[in-house]
């Protein structure tokens, strides 16, 4: 055995670095720290430390209502930018609001109502400067499909409307509760791959649903799956209206061209932003002049003039359909949170500021609770509207206030102008917006990056398209949770080798130039050790040892003497993990091998100490680094190599055991 692996800087007979055991903490203090790290990772109360009561009150008001924080530094320059951005997004919010309300099987006027009150609430309580509040297509589709399964909107519109308000109320309560209880991490279970697939599937379903408006069909399936939609379309070929189809295709082409121009030239963003409103205007003028409504082109009809009616008395919590409304509210609330927070964080990253996810949840929740009492249905921060707001140069949430005022002006004076707006134009607007959510480029990227994420993405997509929106969401979340469980239950283990001319030890799979250490097997565990993976790790460690001994035997190298477990990536260990290590120690003893631990973390060494495992393994066989552990093992190997009869009783018994096993 050469000297390449001798410990380079110290002699083993010198005192090695000792692994320190953290001082014991009272249970209450430990529990307090755990809860703090789980629910308050951002330490929101740090601003209140060492502050007088009056200052704490001011900080508390600013925390709940961020508008009082940034309003003091607001200036005329910001106001000019926010006015331009607010008017721009209002031009998009008005036609989109009407379109998405129809998608939810709700009266079109509710789309305008939902762009008035909720943005005002968010402007006071939201922490994002760029988020533009309004209704979204996916949530609208969910409301339409889930509530439509229990109540027919055409046969019982009043009850359907009540359920929509109740669902919005419970969505708001659920969102605000997550924020108040600091449980925002629940939304994180909707992985990026899940959202990409779900949004793409929902966008596809929404586009298919718009064939009703494009083809001028009066009766259409309530199902959202591909088969039901295509069956409904092709079973009514005799009812297709070519006038409606031609008008829809022309406006869709115009909207797509406008979006393409704005994409290629970002400074011309206003072309895409104004395209929906100009489509509504031109479509309404065309229908009015040609009387196209008499030739199969359906129009919106009369929109009630005036501001939002109060609907708090419509929140009937004794309804027999209450459970369906609550279910709808929770599902749509989660989707709205995931989309809104993701959009807000994306634009905050561009402008180098942070948004508080829990405060955003509270803001979303409060604006939906207020909305449910004022004739609004579910709102969040849609990407398309927020992108227009961002590109228009908004500076603060005042742009939402400007948009709300513009919508208020429309409600008071301009609603009669939408009487002749053709439904086919609204369908074209929805299709144009939804095509941007089918992110096939991201799906291709997922395939090249992570095949399992791609499977999750496609499962969500096909689940939504071929089954239903709810089933697709459940499949995607289930697969994401399955992956989390696989990471926990089947953690990665790897063998480490020495990088030449160093005391650094790295994975042999990652580095091709590393060398094995004769007589020593170094294993690294890359996850906490819990009850869910302890049995697997016990078997995997034994298999690593078997494979290493077979390799040494076939190559004629020296037999295996030491097994080092590198625990640097093991953040925690439970009682099942402690028991597993005890069993591994017994197995190693029976096989005549010495078990060595390297670099256990504070929580791990504390548990090892309390579990008396340090006494079982031996304090002298627990090292601060893999390098020190290898140096110690090499010292023992080199020492006994030149001694004919070792005086160590332990070494002798170990060799006898190995000889018995070989026989």
């Amino acid at each position: 055995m050469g000297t390449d692996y001798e410990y380079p800087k110290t002699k083993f007979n010198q005192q090695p670095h000792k692994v320190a055991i953290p001082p014991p903490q009272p249970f209450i203090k430990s529990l307090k720290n755990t809860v703090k790290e789980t629910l308050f990772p951002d330490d929101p109360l740090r601003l209140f430390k060492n502050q007088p009561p009056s200052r704490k009150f001011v900080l508390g008001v600013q925390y709940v209502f961020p508008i009082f924080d940034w309003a003091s530094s607001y200036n005329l320059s910001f106001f000019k930018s926010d006015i331009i951005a607010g008017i721009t997004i209002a031009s998009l919010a008005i036609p989109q609001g009407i379109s998405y309300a129809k998608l939810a099987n709700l009266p079109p006027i509710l789309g305008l109502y939902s762009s008035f009150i909720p943005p005002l609430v968010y402007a006071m309580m939201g922490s994002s400067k760029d988020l533009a509040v309004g209704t979204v297509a996916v949530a609208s589709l969910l409301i339409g499909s889930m509530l439509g399964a229990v109540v027919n909107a055409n046969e019982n519109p009043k009850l359907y409307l009540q359920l929509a308000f109740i669902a919005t109320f419970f969505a708001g309560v659920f969102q605000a509760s997550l924020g108040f209880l600091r449980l925002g991490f629940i939304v994180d279970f909707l992985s990026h791959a899940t959202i990409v697939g779900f949004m793409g599937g929902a966008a596809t379903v929404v586009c298919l649903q718009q064939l009703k408006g494009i083809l001028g069909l009066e009766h259409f399936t309530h199902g959202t799956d591909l088969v039901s939609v295509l069956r409904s379309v092709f079973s009514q070929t005799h009812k297709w209206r070519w006038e409606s189809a031609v008008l829809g295709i022309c406006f869709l082409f115009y909207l797509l061209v406008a979006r393409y121009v704005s994409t290629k030239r970002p400074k011309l963003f206003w072309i895409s932003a104004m395209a929906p409103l100009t489509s509504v205007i031109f479509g309404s003028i065309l229908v009015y002049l040609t009387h196209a409504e008499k030739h199969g082109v359906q129009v919106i009809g009369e929109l009630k003039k005036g501001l939002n009616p109060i609907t708090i008395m419509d929140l009937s919590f004794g309804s027999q359909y209450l459970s369906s409304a609550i279910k709808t509210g929770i599902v749509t609330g989660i989707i709205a949170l995931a989309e809104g927070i993701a959009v807000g964080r994306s634009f905050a990253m561009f402008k180098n500021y942070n948004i508080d996810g829990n405060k955003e949840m509270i803001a979303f929740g409060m604006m939906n609770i207020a909305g449910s009492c004022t004739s609004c249905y579910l709102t969040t921060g849609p990407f398309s509207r927020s992108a227009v707001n961002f590109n228009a140069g908004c500076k603060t949430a005042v742009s939402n206030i400007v948009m709300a005022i513009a919508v208020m002006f429309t409600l008071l004076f301009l609603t009669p102008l939408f009487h002749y707006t053709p439904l086919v134009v609204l369908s074209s607007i929805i299709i144009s917006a939804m095509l941007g959510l089918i992110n096939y480029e991201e799906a291709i990227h997922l395939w090249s990056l992570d095949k399992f994420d791609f499977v999750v993405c496609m499962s969500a997509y096909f689940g939504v398209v071929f089954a239903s929106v709810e089933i697709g969401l459940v499949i995607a979340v289930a697969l994401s949770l399955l992956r989390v469980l696989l990471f926990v239950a089947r953690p990665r283990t790897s063998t480490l080798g020495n990088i030449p001319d160093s005391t650094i030890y790295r994975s042999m799979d990652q580095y091709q130039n590393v060398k094995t250490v004769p007589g020593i097997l170094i294993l690294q565990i890359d996850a906490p050790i819990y009850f869910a993976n302890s049995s697997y790790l016990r078997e995997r460690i034994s298999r690593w040892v078997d494979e290493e001994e077979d390799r040494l035997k076939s190559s004629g190298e020296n037999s295996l003497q030491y097994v080092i477990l590198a625990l640097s990536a093991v953040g925690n260990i439970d009682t099942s993990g402690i028991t597993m290590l005890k069993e591994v120690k017994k197995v190693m003893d029976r096989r005549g091998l010495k078990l060595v631990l390297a670099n256990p973390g504070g929580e791990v060494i504390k548990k090892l100490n309390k579990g008396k495992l340090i006494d079982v393994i031996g304090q002298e066989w627990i090292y601060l680094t893999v390098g020190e552990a290898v140096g110690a093992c090499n010292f023992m190997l080199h020492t006994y190599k030149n001694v004919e009869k070792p005086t160590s009783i332990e070494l002798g018994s170990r060799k006898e055991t190995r000889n018995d096993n070989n026989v």
Side-chain angles (χ1 to χ4, degrees), residues 45-99:
L45 301 179
R46 67 187 183 281
L47 297 175
F48 298 88
K49 294 178 181 178
N50 304 319
Q51 297 290 343
S54 59
R55 180 59 181 166
K56 287 182 179 179
F57 175 77
V58 173
L59 291 173
V61 172
Q62 291 177 346
Y63 182 81
V64 178
F65 301 99
I67 190 172
F68 293 111
D69 183 21
W70 51 261
S72 58
S73 59
Y74 198 73
N75 55 47
L76 184 60
S77 176
F78 284 2
F79 185 58
K80 291 178 180 177
S81 299
D82 286 336
I83 283 183
I84 295 173
I87 294 175
T88 304
I89 57 176
S91 67
L92 181 63
I94 293 169
Q96 276 192 349
I98 296 173
S99 304

Side-chain angles (χ1 to χ4, degrees), residues 91-159:
S91 67
L92 181 63
I94 293 169
Q96 276 192 349
I98 296 173
S99 304
Y100 295 160
K102 291 289 291 182
L103 189 61
N105 296 324
L106 293 169
I109 192 65
L110 260 67
L112 297 182
Y113 291 160
S114 301
S115 296
F116 175 44
I117 298 295
L120 295 176
V121 177
Y122 182 82
M124 293 188 295
M125 303 187 68
S127 59
S128 174
K129 302 175 183 178
D130 304 283
L131 208 66
V133 172
T135 56
V136 288
V138 175
S140 301
L141 175 68
L142 275 169
I143 290 174
S145 62
M146 295 181 73
L147 294 183
V150 294
V151 175
N152 189 305
N154 296 322
E155 296 176 359
N156 201 339
K158 184 177 180 180
L159 176 59

Side-chain angles (χ1 to χ4, degrees), residues 197-245:
F198 176 77
M199 289 296 184
T204 302
V205 168
V206 170
C207 290
L208 291 173
Q209 288 280 326
Q210 300 318 301
L211 292 176
K212 174 186 178 183
I214 295 292
L215 298 174
L217 299 175
E218 295 183 4
H219 302 287
F220 206 69
T221 178
H222 294 291
T224 58
D225 60 286
L226 177 66
V227 176
S228 298
V229 172
L230 293 183
R231 183 186 295 120
S232 182
V233 168
F234 289 102
S235 64
Q236 302 183 73
T237 53
H238 58 287
K239 295 182 180 179
W240 291 6
R241 308 296 304 209
W242 68 266
E243 302 93 338
S244 180

